């Protein structure tokens, strides 16, 4: 995949939280087909996630390569640093993923899965649910969680291989700022 010859297209990622508030991110379109859309977003502010005794920090200047599937109950944020090193991944359990020419939007259903570079994964935010996970959204979230856990290793491996190609080019920053 030669990203440098592709016309650059800006697109908004809109996350609709469970409380109906929204968060928008300005991204670049990497790939789109009938099954999925892939966006790239440069991290402008470092952030950390702590689970048990482990902490994952995504540094400023790293990248989110975000995968959205139209027919799946999840999306995936895949993080690489500026040199292309894999930092970790993050699954959002979602519904109603919608893709238009200018925007990808989805409803976030609270539960997430953090995947560390060594493959360990952690279910996040269960304590934020308004009811037990078995009942939350009539079992939709629990079913989505179980689906992800069944295929998590193969998804991560496939995305890891696909995203390595992006970082074989030394000027990804230049590509991002072109208009």
């Amino acid at each position: 995949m030669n990203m440098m010859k592709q016309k650059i297209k800006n697109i908004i990622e809109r996350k609709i939280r469970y409380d109906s508030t929204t968060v928008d991110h300005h991204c670049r379109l990497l790939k789109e087909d009938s099954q999925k859309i892939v966006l790239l977003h440069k991290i402008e502010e470092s952030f950390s996630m702590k689970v048990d005794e482990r902490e994952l920090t995504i540094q400023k200047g790293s990248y989110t390569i975000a995968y959205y599937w139209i027919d799946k109950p999840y999306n995936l944020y895949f993080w690489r640093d500026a040199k292309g090193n894999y930092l970790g991944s993050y699954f959002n359990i979602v519904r109603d993923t919608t893709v238009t020419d200018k925007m990808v939007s989805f409803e976030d259903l609270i539960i997430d899965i953090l995947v560390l570079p060594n493959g360990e994964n952690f279910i996040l935010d269960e304590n934020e649910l308004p009811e037990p996970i078995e009942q939350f959204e009539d079992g939709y979230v629990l079913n989505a969680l179980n689906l992800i856990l069944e295929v998590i290793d193969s998804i991560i491996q496939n995305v890891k291989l696909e995203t390595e190609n992006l970082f074989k080019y030394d000027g990804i920053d230049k590509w991002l700022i072109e208009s």
Side-chain angles (χ1 to χ4, degrees):
M1 166 170 45
N2 186 349
M3 301 309 303
M4 304 322 296
K5 294 185 180 178
Q6 174 181 315
K7 181 173 171 25
I8 295 169
K9 181 177 176 184
N10 295 317
I11 193 163
I12 301 287
E13 179 218 60
R14 175 162 293 156
K15 172 182 179 175
I16 305 165
R17 293 182 176 142
Y18 200 70
D19 66 3
S20 298
T21 60
T22 61
V23 178
D24 288 355
H25 289 284
H26 295 272
C27 304
R28 299 286 183 153
L29 175 67
L30 291 180
K31 183 178 180 181
E32 183 176 20
D33 61 36
S34 62
Q35 303 298 315
K36 70 178 182 268
I37 185 168
V38 183
L39 305 180
L40 181 69
H41 171 75
K42 187 170 184 179
I43 304 298
E44 299 297 335
E45 304 251 343
S46 297
F47 63 93
S48 296
M49 288 173 279
K50 189 171 183 177
V51 180
D52 299 329
E53 300 301 314
R54 295 168 185 82
E55 185 171 28
L56 175 64
T57 298
I58 307 300
Q59 295 292 329
K60 177 181 178 178
S62 298
Y63 296 91
T64 300
I65 304 166
Y67 284 73
Y68 310 87
W69 291 271
I70 307 306
D71 62 346
K72 304 232 185 281
Y74 55 85
N75 61 35
L76 171 64
Y77 297 151
F78 195 87
W79 294 305
R80 288 192 177 274
D81 68 17
K83 294 180 182 178
N85 299 309
Y86 174 56
L87 302 173
S89 300
Y90 191 87
F91 286 87
N92 291 293
I93 294 180
V94 303
R95 71 172 163 215
D96 296 332
T97 299
T98 305
V99 178
T100 68
D101 244 9
K102 298 181 192 260
M103 183 180 300
V104 173
S105 67
F106 61 92
E107 293 180 35
D108 183 41
L109 296 176
I110 302 174
I111 298 294
D112 306 302
I113 302 172
L114 175 65
V115 183
L116 299 179
N118 67 6
E120 281 184 277
N121 61 71
F122 302 90
I123 299 166
L124 306 177
D125 304 328
E126 206 167 347
N127 62 324
E128 296 177 18
L129 295 177
E131 58 190 344
I133 193 168
E134 296 80 13
Q135 297 163 2
F136 183 60
E137 292 296 318
D138 294 323
Y140 177 89
V141 171
L142 181 59
N143 289 336
L145 176 62
N146 289 332
L147 173 67
I148 295 167
L149 293 174
E150 286 175 16
V151 297
I152 196 166
D153 293 334
S154 64
I155 292 172
I156 296 296
Q157 191 59 33
N158 289 339
V159 170
K160 192 179 286 188
L161 292 171
E162 184 172 85
T163 60
E164 281 175 3
N165 291 328
L166 292 173
F167 289 91
K168 290 183 179 170
Y169 175 73
D170 291 336
I172 198 160
D173 279 337
K174 179 178 179 275
W175 179 76
L176 277 173
I177 59 173
E178 291 176 2
S179 55

